[in-house]
Amino acid sequence: MGKPLVFVTRRIPEPALNLLREHVALSLWDELKPVPRDVLLREVAHAEGLITMLSDRVDAELLNAAPRLRVVANMAVGYDNIDLHALTEHGVVVTNTPDVLTEATADMAWALLLAAARRVVEGHKVVESGRWETWHPFYMLGQEVHGATLGVVGAGRIGAAVMRRGLAFHMRLQYYSRRRVPQLEAALGATYCALDDLLRTSDFVVVTVPLTEETRGMFGAREFALMKDTAVFVNVARGGVVKEAELVEALRRGRPWAAGLDVFAVEPTPPNNPLLSLPNVVATPHVGSATLRTRTAMAVLAARNVIAVLSGQPPLTPVNVEVLKARDRSASASAQS
Ligand code: DGY
């Protein structure tokens, strides 16, 4: 029997490709730009495994074109690009890449937090353009980070890593998530609070929640109006959790005081996005996990997930395996009854 065919939708770090070559028949879209949809639909026709990027849409249309598909390994911790319901219905295992990107993404949240608080990008532009005229006591004042209150929305691995960094800045830590996480409170001294309270009392609000139907549009005019007029809002999660037009208006009014954004409603965000013309916005192109070490670890984990499933082993970091197991159990129970 030949090796199972796996299609990889983008050039990924070599260690992951080497691992795949040892175990599967590899078909690779060896480009840095996304695979065109028609090519993807053609390529999946015989594939049993697929490694996807967060910009690939994996939905019912793709499933219909991929009758042999058994596993989709998304090279991201988020999987809002995947129609989980449709894949689960078809018995396709979905995996993601948690843990390996936690620290890099938390670093990026902090890069944005510090850059927005201390006007790093605005300052760079002033120096670069020759508009730096003098030093004076009130010039380019920012927000004090040390000793401030850090409010993290989402208490998963990335949220916890963002908070851990706050300890080094002697910050008061508070968080909001659907469920309380007593371990986090014990380990970091973080306080759980309701979202509105967190927004009212935090100097820095960092968003780390996944994009789901529940979190879509979670931050709009109402939420921004609750924030301090000195607060900095940071989003390293997904653009869809923010109502972008309402953030523009809020930033124009100065509440929040500034924003650091790694993610946007539409990516790449068009250059005429009004957010980009605001002096109090620091924007980066969805690079939370973008270090070579982390991207290599993500690619290798995705490869290991595909190889595991195609060789009959449990995936390392499954998203829907429990649901699939429960479905199998109820199918076999009804077959026996
Ligand atoms: C993820 O893994 O979901 C990140 O957004 C990728 O950088």
Side-chain angles (χ1 to χ4, degrees):
M1 220 172 64
K3 290 178 177 174
L5 180 66
V6 172
F7 181 59
V8 180
T9 66
R10 202 76 59 92
R11 185 181 306 160
I12 59 174
E14 205 56 35
L17 293 175
N18 288 339
L19 189 60
L20 287 166
R21 285 188 192 103
E22 275 175 41
H23 296 271
V24 301
L26 175 65
S27 170
L28 171 67
W29 177 252
D30 194 10
E31 303 278 347
L32 298 176
K33 289 202 168 143
V35 58
R37 186 76 180 168
D38 57 324
V39 177
L40 174 61
L41 295 181
R42 201 168 58 236
E43 286 286 344
V44 294
H46 301 286
E48 290 184 59
L50 191 55
I51 294 188
T52 49
M53 308 298 124
L54 52 84
S55 48
D56 300 315
R57 194 162 36 85
V58 183
D59 55 8
E61 182 192 35
L62 185 143
L63 274 178
N64 287 337
R68 308 187 58 173
L69 196 60
R70 290 161 59 196
V71 53
V72 174
N74 211 35
M75 197 182 125
V77 67
Y79 44 85
D80 46 284
N81 57 312
I82 294 179
D83 182 341
L84 200 56
H85 180 72
L87 270 77
T88 306
E89 282 285 293
H90 279 72
V92 177
V93 173
V94 176
T95 68
N96 65 344
T97 59
D99 295 316
V100 292
L101 49 63
T102 299
E103 302 302 335
T105 308
D107 285 348
M108 192 64 208
W110 266 87
L112 288 168
L113 183 159
L114 287 166
R118 300 305 302 272
R119 305 171 69 170
V120 172
V121 175
E122 204 184 339
H124 176 88
K125 286 183 185 160
V126 166
V127 177
E128 189 185 42
S129 65
R131 285 182 287 119
W132 181 20
E133 286 174 2
T134 184
W135 183 97
H136 69 73
F138 302 100
Y139 188 49
M140 282 243 153
L141 300 184
Q143 301 299 335
E144 190 91 15
V145 177
H146 182 269
T149 297
L150 174 62
V152 173
V153 181
R157 302 168 184 88
I158 296 172
V162 169
M163 280 191 254
R164 224 180 311 114
R165 284 156 176 72
L167 291 176
F169 286 77
H170 295 175
M171 295 175 103
R172 199 167 79 78
L173 305 178
Q174 47 190 24
Y175 74 100
Y176 165 77
S177 74
R178 269 186 314 171
R179 269 177 248 103
R180 246 179 119 139
V181 189
Q183 307 88 295
L184 206 59
E185 296 172 26
L188 303 179
T191 310
Y192 178 80
C193 43
L195 181 59
D196 285 2
D197 291 337
L198 179 141
L199 296 173
R200 275 192 203 100
T201 56
S202 295
D203 299 305
F204 296 91
V205 174
V206 180
V207 183
T208 66
V209 289
L211 178 61
T212 62
E213 281 322 303
E214 202 182 323
T215 62
R216 189 176 295 282
M218 184 175 184
F219 295 91
R222 181 190 161 279
E223 287 68 32
F224 297 126
L226 292 175
M227 293 176 71
K228 297 184 182 185
D229 59 5
T230 50
V232 172
F233 178 77
V234 174
N235 186 7
V236 288
R238 286 292 184 268
V241 303
V242 170
K243 292 177 185 151
E244 232 170 56
E246 296 179 22
L247 177 58
V248 171
E249 280 315 307
L251 285 162
R252 280 193 180 129
R253 289 201 195 102
R255 190 186 296 267
W257 182 79
L261 306 171
D262 187 44
V263 287
F264 296 85
V266 174
E267 294 181 359
T269 198
N272 65 355
N273 181 340
L275 275 174
L276 305 178
S277 60
L278 300 178
N280 50 348
V281 168
V282 176
T284 49
H286 201 149
V287 288
S289 62
T291 71
L292 185 58
R293 191 165 77 187
T294 291
R295 287 284 162 83
T296 303
M298 290 164 70
V300 167
L301 180 53
R304 291 176 66 202
N305 273 317
V306 164
I307 293 164
V309 174
L310 295 183
S311 55
Q313 305 298 315
L316 288 89
T317 49
V319 169
N320 63 346
V321 161
E322 288 313 314
V323 186
L324 286 170
K325 274 191 198 153
R327 208 191 54 165
D328 289 350
R329 275 197 300 272
S330 86
S332 76
S334 50
Q336 281 162 17
S337 63

